[in-house]
Amino acid sequence: MSMLTLDGTVTASNQIAQRSKADALRIAALGLLSIRFIQGFIYWGGGSRRFIYAPAKLDPNAASWMANKFQSAMPGALLGTDHIIAFLLHHFYLLYASLILFSAAELIAGLFLMTGLLARAAALVSIGLSVVLMLMFGWQGATCIDEWTMAACNLAIGATLMLGGSGAFSLDSALLARKPALATRGWFRWMSGALQLPMHSGTFQKMALAVFAATVVFNVATYNYYRGSVITPFHGGPVSPSKHHLALTDGVLLPNGAVRFHAYLDGGTPEAPSNVMTAVLKSSDGSVLEQWDGTALSHLPSSAITNEFAYNRFAPGPFGLRAQMGAMATITLPAASNADTSTLHSAATLQLHTVNGNTFNVAVRMED
């Protein structure tokens, strides 16, 4: 039982209890030291690569420009983030500013976590970064959901560090030792990790359980969406990270015999382009009306392809028509010299055959 002396000081028993509590916090902080540093290193590494070691990633004229990676993530992005990506890709200055800010947030949050400076605030930033990465890139990974796995782990680590703090070998602790008055500042207790959060143990427990529930629900729900294996059997996901898929729409037969259609490479790996080797226009009875082989597709003029984005694109390749992941374009195939489409009065079908043997169809109508 703690008691006060006549001059208001705390008795020795209460001092012992406070000391025991501080030791327990210190032990917990030492246990979190490894994951705090590595979590920081992961994010610092992502930012430092772009700013220091591989600055071409932030160079719009370089092949490794980050906009290409953003566009490749667009087909599988969740909760409307694909529309945000598309908007940024259409507005260069906003895109560039976003990439700089995102990279700077990774760099600074990572550095603060490694050094233990304002560790709770840095951990909160890392949570936000993890959520964004899971929503945008979580579906990618040809053999497993690589991007989701890393971001899901980082989300859980960030939540743990936000609650647990950085009381061991941290700049927060050094600042507190140098200026003990910081212990009375609310901003310092909330943003740093040198002290426990300014709340009763019951309130902290409710907060910790809420963070736990949010972390579990978000991670498990996104995993189930991408791969199943929770309440449904395993599946390949709404967007395949390994098998290219072409979404074809708006097929139109023009009066001059040319065929116009819209194409979107909305599935597959960004590590290799998709190659269309042959395009065939067939009538409703299956007879071939027009055909474009690899040579014809590889010699399409630039005017025949209108790409919607300036980064990953549809373009003539050495063996036909080539597309990078996330590419979206309106393509016009010129009329073949010996084609006769004058008798076409009903819908036809355009078939695109890719190098790996897949066929993608789009209905073609006469232009109004």
Side-chain angles (χ1 to χ4, degrees):
M1 178 178 179
S2 61
M3 299 179 62
L4 296 178
T5 62
L6 293 177
D7 61 0
T9 58
V10 183
T11 61
S13 61
N14 198 27
Q15 290 177 341
I16 293 173
Q18 293 293 329
R19 180 61 182 174
S20 177
K21 188 175 184 179
D23 288 344
L25 291 173
R26 177 73 173 177
I27 292 171
L30 285 169
L32 294 176
L33 182 59
S34 296
I35 65 170
R36 192 195 83 208
F37 183 88
I38 296 302
Q39 172 85 334
F41 181 76
I42 288 171
Y43 281 108
W44 178 85
S48 64
R49 281 196 303 275
R50 292 173 215 130
F51 284 119
I52 302 171
Y53 302 108
K57 290 179 176 291
L58 295 177
D59 181 359
N61 298 313
S64 56
W65 164 230
M66 281 293 293
N68 300 93
K69 184 173 179 63
F70 265 50
Q71 188 174 342
S72 70
M74 185 171 59
L78 291 181
L79 301 182
T81 51
D82 55 329
H83 298 295
I84 297 174
I85 294 172
F87 179 81
L88 292 175
L89 292 173
H90 280 130
H91 297 82
F92 172 78
Y93 292 107
L94 289 177
L95 171 66
Y96 193 77
S98 298
L99 291 173
I100 292 294
L101 290 174
F102 188 90
S103 300
E106 285 190 306
L107 183 75
I108 295 171
L111 183 63
F112 277 27
L113 283 171
M114 285 192 296
T115 59
L117 177 62
L118 301 181
R120 283 197 173 95
L124 184 60
V125 172
S126 77
I127 291 174
L129 293 172
S130 297
V131 169
V132 171
L133 290 172
M134 288 175 73
L135 292 178
M136 290 174 54
F137 299 98
W139 63 276
Q140 292 185 337
T143 56
C144 62
I145 42 180
D146 308 318
E147 303 286 352
W148 179 92
T149 300
M150 186 175 76
C153 290
N154 287 338
L155 174 59
I157 292 172
T160 301
L161 293 173
M162 183 184 69
L163 295 170
S166 62
F169 300 101
S170 67
L171 291 181
D172 286 338
S173 296
L175 285 172
L176 183 62
R178 188 177 182 86
K179 296 183 178 181
L182 287 173
T184 63
R185 305 292 177 85
W187 68 265
F188 184 79
R189 294 187 72 106
W190 280 103
M191 297 180 68
S192 79
L195 298 168
Q196 65 188 84
L197 288 170
M199 58 181 65
H200 297 296
S201 60
T203 305
F204 178 81
Q205 177 174 312
K206 293 178 181 177
M207 177 181 176
L209 290 176
V211 171
F212 166 73
T215 301
V216 169
V217 169
F218 186 80
N219 278 352
V220 174
T222 52
Y223 182 82
N224 184 70
Y225 178 81
Y226 289 133
R227 290 295 183 270
S229 304
V230 179
I231 58 176
T232 64
F234 175 84
H235 57 74
V239 177
S240 173
S242 57
K243 185 178 180 180
H244 284 127
H245 180 269
L246 283 167
L248 307 178
T249 57
D250 301 329
V252 176
L253 179 63
L254 303 178
N256 62 1
V259 177
R260 185 181 66 219
F261 63 97
H262 185 270
Y264 178 27
L265 185 60
D266 63 351
T269 173
E271 303 303 322
S274 176
N275 292 278
V276 177
M277 305 294 290
T278 309
V280 181
L281 180 66
K282 292 185 176 182
S283 64
S284 57
D285 63 4
S287 59
V288 176
L289 300 173
E290 295 191 54
Q291 181 167 324
W292 298 263
D293 60 14
T295 301
L297 295 175
S298 66
H299 288 85
L300 285 177
S302 58
S303 59
I305 305 173
T306 304
N307 283 285
E308 296 195 19
F309 302 105
Y311 310 105
N312 294 352
R313 304 162 65 89
F314 280 87
F319 309 109
L321 190 62
R322 182 172 57 186
Q324 297 169 299
M325 187 59 192
M328 189 182 297
T330 298
I331 301 169
T332 302
L333 301 177
S337 58
N338 59 348
D340 181 13
T341 59
S342 59
T343 59
L344 180 64
H345 299 291
S346 59
T349 300
L350 178 69
Q351 295 183 338
L352 300 186
H353 303 283
T354 62
V355 67
N356 54 5
N358 292 320
T359 299
F360 302 96
N361 302 323
V362 59
V364 176
R365 57 177 176 80
M366 294 291 293
E367 187 177 45
D368 297 332

